[in-house]
Amino acid sequence: MKCREVTGFLSACLDAYVDGELDDRDCGELEAHLAECESCREAVRNQARLKALIRERASTVRAPEGLVSRIQACLDEADLEERAEDATVLARNEGVSSEPKPALPPALATLDELPLAPHGARGSRGNYFRDPRESMRCGCEAQGAWLSQSCGSDEQRGRTQMQRRPKSGSHSLASPQVPSQKWRSMPLFASMAFLLVFVWVAAGGFTHDPLVDDAVRKHARGLPLEVTGPAESLQRWLRDKVDFKPEVLVFPSGLEPLGARLSHVREHPAVYIGYGRPGSGPDGERQASLFVFCDPSFDPTLERYRHRHVAGRSMVITNKNGFNVLLWKENEVVYSLVSDLEERELFELIQAASTQ
Amino acid sequence: MSPKNPERRTNESRSEFEMLALEHVDALYSSALRLTRNERDAEDLVQDALVRAYRFFDKFERGTNIKAWLFKILTNTFINRYRRKAKERSVVEGVEQQTVTERFFSRDMSSMSDDPETYIFERLLSDDVLRAIDELPVDFRLVVVLADIQEFSYKEIAEIVGCPVGTVMSRLFRGRRLLQRRLTEYAVEHGILPAEAAEPASAEGNGQLADLAAYRRRRGG
């Protein structure tokens, strides 16, 4: 029994009717027709049954055990990051202002006379504090652009930047809690201290790079691995997990991949690969973390970064909280390697590294 | 931004988020499973989506539909991370051709079964139904999931997927017809329906899928 009248209707009308989406007027018209048309009534019945079938068979699926607690663990992670961010912001707001300042007043131009921070000391992680006089001289040279981080130029190759905040003495951050325009009324010493910190910030002492900060934080925490195994199996697992193609770095010796997981660097979905000493097993100490993510806006060639040519690539080398960080880009994919290792060993490893 | 007590603020919004969002995990997971078609990815997708939702929680307008908001984030996360765009597109095109020529009232389903009260497809196993849904091209699958499994309105679906209501209706229509076709094929395979049932009906009448708005204009309403 074919319904000729309904070809005048839109076929979609019946679907919409069953979905409860027809307005009153169309509904009324359709129901008037249905009252007289068995075949359309049948179609409506079938449509309703199809819907019910789909709903019944597909919606009884329950989330697997432990998904909720895994989600809560991720939320914990997000909370920690949020708090760390807030703390950084707080410290920054109460400490040094980051607006560009007018040129250095002549009276304070000769920074050699300033008292010095811990100098030349080699930190336990193979990260040595640079002689702060160097950083101040650099800052001084770049008077018109205090925060251009000129200390990050290639001239400084071989020296890491002083990232660790000085903990004692005249270089505490306690003094410079005054807005810049009041410096004239401050005693000379206090204003010098303020300047010192200022220059220290200019030298990259307060690494403002949120990508680096986030990667370092996650390395220090040692993210739980979702999958363990050799590089080939990790590369396979990673396939289709993200929108870009991450390459698992393989080191011939010194470091081996312990496992991987999906993570974020800031808001970018990222792949995380943890490395440890060969033979240390999946629970072994995390010696290095490789983050791979997509960030078209990240520009590694910026002058504010310190660069080094390694393995045919220009890499950014920086240091944060005692960890060495290498950053490089392949097309739009950013690789960030955070490590406990000393710079020299890291470079040797990278030189010899290959991809899966 | 200089929050007075960052830790407490985080704790409050965290509990609020858990209270509002976690009750939808099952729904999110079951939809994620249809989208990604494997359990591991579905879990990851739900996890990623909820973390993103948490990060953007201050942008959520309290009192509005949180389920729709969560599903929007799930859909975006899915599209950004898991969808293989190129492959799906070609499948959709091929399939559209067939659907348009198939007449809406192609067959009277109950006349095919011995018992006119039984809806023929109810005799199919859940596996077959799920498989048929999973075989739909992703654009159709998404709207079918949102409409028929999660029971969102056309308007909500349009917001979740980010397309006009007309497109939602069209995709739903096509998706359901495809599904019906696939279920018919399974029913024939299992001997529930005779082989003729799987033949496409001859194109009769108006094969065009017109839209409700155009119909109303013609009607003069």
Side-chain angles (χ1 to χ4, degrees):
Chain A
M1 190 75 162
K2 300 219 162 71
C3 176
R4 284 197 202 95
E5 261 187 72
V6 178
T7 53
F9 268 92
L10 298 172
S11 325
C13 232
L14 266 147
D15 267 26
Y17 175 72
V18 176
D19 289 340
E21 296 270 353
L22 271 194
D23 64 29
D24 291 340
R25 179 178 170 182
D26 293 327
C27 225
E29 268 195 47
L30 183 60
E31 280 171 350
H33 172 76
L34 287 177
E36 295 162 1
C37 179
E38 171 58 33
S39 113
C40 285
R41 277 204 299 278
E42 187 58 46
V44 163
R45 243 199 316 272
N46 286 327
Q47 180 59 19
R49 279 158 144 174
L50 179 64
K51 268 191 80 149
L53 183 72
I54 297 170
R55 191 170 60 244
E56 184 213 315
R57 299 295 167 87
S59 65
T60 50
V61 174
R62 290 274 169 271
E65 285 263 341
L67 178 57
V68 171
S69 47
R70 278 196 287 285
I71 291 167
Q72 285 172 324
C74 291
L75 298 182
D76 287 340
E77 212 181 290
D79 279 341
L80 282 171
E81 287 173 18
E82 176 85 19
R83 286 187 201 136
E85 285 285 328
D86 287 351
T88 310
V89 169
L90 263 175
R92 188 161 24 97
N93 287 344
E94 288 167 12
V96 179
S97 155
S98 59
E99 265 134 46
K101 296 292 185 286
L104 185 61
L108 296 171
T110 49
L111 299 176
D112 282 354
E113 289 140 34
L114 289 180
L116 299 173
H119 50 275
R122 199 170 278 258
S124 57
R125 283 205 139 114
N127 145 46
Y128 21 94
F129 299 127
R130 185 164 54 164
D131 185 341
R133 270 188 294 186
E134 306 278 355
S135 67
M136 282 183 256
R137 241 194 302 272
C138 290
C140 192
E141 279 155 24
Q143 280 187 32
W146 275 96
L147 293 175
S148 67
Q149 317 259 16
S150 57
C151 301
S153 71
D154 281 326
E155 292 154 24
Q156 306 306 323
R157 195 177 302 173
R159 293 197 207 99
T160 54
Q161 296 175 337
M162 181 177 79
Q163 301 292 334
R164 203 179 291 279
R165 215 189 286 191
K167 290 215 162 83
S168 61
S170 50
H171 312 286
S172 74
L173 289 177
S175 23
Q177 288 189 25
V178 287
S180 58
Q181 53 268 35
K182 291 207 186 124
W183 70 266
R184 284 178 212 277
S185 57
M186 278 163 40
L188 186 66
F189 178 77
S191 58
M192 280 183 192
F194 174 65
L195 208 61
L196 172 69
V197 170
F198 209 89
V199 170
W200 177 72
V201 171
F206 210 115
T207 308
H208 211 53
D209 197 311
L211 293 182
V212 171
D213 291 1
D214 197 24
V216 166
R217 235 192 327 265
K218 292 189 156 113
H219 169 74
R221 263 214 305 272
L223 296 175
L225 301 169
E226 287 188 54
V227 59
T228 60
E232 322 86 64
S233 63
L234 297 182
Q235 187 75 64
R236 262 200 311 278
W237 183 83
L238 288 171
R239 213 187 323 152
D240 297 340
K241 293 284 191 303
V242 284
D243 254 356
F244 51 91
K245 191 156 176 277
E247 302 282 352
V248 176
L249 267 190
V250 174
F251 302 101
S253 65
L255 278 181
E256 77 173 3
L258 302 176
R261 71 172 282 125
L262 294 180
S263 179
H264 285 89
V265 175
R266 301 287 294 173
E267 70 281 10
H268 307 290
V271 156
Y272 167 87
I273 301 156
Y275 292 85
R277 292 290 183 201
S280 58
D283 295 320
E285 200 191 320
R286 224 56 79 73
Q287 293 280 323
S289 296
L290 180 66
F291 295 89
V292 189
F293 54 97
C294 207
D295 183 9
S297 65
F298 172 70
D299 185 357
T301 60
L302 278 181
E303 271 173 14
R304 60 181 263 229
Y305 298 115
R306 191 157 65 90
H307 294 95
R308 179 105 177 213
H309 243 85
V310 186
R313 278 195 200 94
S314 177
M315 293 193 176
V316 169
I317 167 96
T318 184
N319 184 284
K320 166 103 183 148
N321 296 349
F323 297 105
N324 282 317
V325 185
L326 285 179
L327 281 155
W328 67 98
K329 215 171 165 181
E330 296 220 8
N331 301 315
E332 294 187 334
V333 180
V334 181
Y335 288 78
S336 170
L337 185 67
V338 183
S339 169
D340 297 19
L341 303 175
E342 292 198 19
E343 216 176 272
R344 198 166 46 88
E345 186 179 1
L346 200 55
F347 282 130
E348 275 167 26
L349 284 168
I350 283 281
Q351 201 87 38
S354 56
T355 54
Q356 253 314 108
Chain B
M1 168 186 69
S2 213
K4 280 262 155 82
N5 185 351
E7 198 160 314
R8 206 183 47 172
R9 193 181 59 105
T10 314
N11 287 338
E12 276 169 16
S13 81
R14 169 74 184 266
S15 338
E16 197 193 352
F17 181 80
E18 289 207 16
M19 194 184 63
L20 288 176
L22 291 186
E23 70 170 284
H24 300 289
V25 169
D26 283 339
L28 289 165
Y29 176 76
S30 94
S31 306
L33 192 53
R34 300 276 66 80
L35 291 176
T36 60
R37 303 191 284 197
N38 91 75
E39 284 164 13
R40 190 62 207 253
D41 285 347
E43 285 186 48
D44 287 350
L45 175 56
V46 173
Q47 213 166 285
D48 291 344
L50 281 171
V51 171
R52 280 184 78 188
Y54 183 55
R55 287 202 170 105
F56 291 117
F57 192 44
D58 55 355
K59 298 207 165 37
F60 169 67
E61 220 180 298
R62 305 295 186 273
T64 60
N65 185 349
I66 191 160
K67 192 179 173 195
W69 185 73
L70 291 172
F71 267 83
K72 180 159 184 84
I73 293 176
L74 183 85
T75 303
N76 285 341
T77 310
F78 170 70
I79 288 169
N80 289 335
R81 288 186 81 165
Y82 296 88
R83 184 175 160 179
R84 303 166 206 19
K85 298 171 176 108
K87 236 197 302 177
E88 297 285 2
R89 200 143 302 230
S90 55
V91 178
V92 166
E93 249 126 67
V95 149
E96 270 181 36
Q97 287 301 108
Q98 286 177 299
T99 317
V100 162
T101 56
E102 193 175 319
R103 198 165 167 249
F104 177 68
F105 301 110
S106 56
R107 57 190 60 86
D108 184 347
M109 277 294 140
S110 63
S111 72
M112 297 282 183
S113 112
D114 306 323
D115 171 12
E117 289 311 308
T118 309
Y119 183 51
I120 206 74
F121 297 139
E122 272 156 23
R123 285 158 66 178
L124 287 172
L125 298 170
S126 283
D127 274 357
D128 283 333
V129 176
L130 292 178
R131 196 157 33 116
I133 295 172
D134 290 351
E135 281 171 6
L136 290 174
V138 72
D139 278 336
F140 297 167
R141 198 178 342 134
L142 179 55
V143 293
V144 167
V145 164
L146 293 174
D148 294 339
I149 304 178
Q150 299 305 335
E151 301 184 308
F152 284 111
S153 70
Y154 290 175
K155 187 156 177 288
E156 285 168 337
I157 298 173
E159 280 176 26
I160 290 170
V161 173
C163 69
V165 169
T167 309
V168 171
M169 288 173 73
S170 154
R171 284 184 191 168
L172 259 182
F173 179 80
R174 290 182 162 120
R176 285 162 170 165
R177 293 306 157 275
L178 258 183
L179 194 58
Q180 204 158 9
R181 182 197 201 71
R182 178 64 83 218
L183 290 174
T184 308
E185 283 169 18
Y186 289 158
V188 168
E189 263 173 50
H190 296 312
I192 303 171
L193 279 176
E196 306 89 69
E199 300 298 314
S202 56
E204 267 189 47
N206 186 2
Q208 289 266 25
L209 182 67
D211 72 289
L212 201 53
Y215 167 72
R216 285 187 180 128
R217 279 197 299 275
R218 281 204 299 272
R219 190 181 59 188

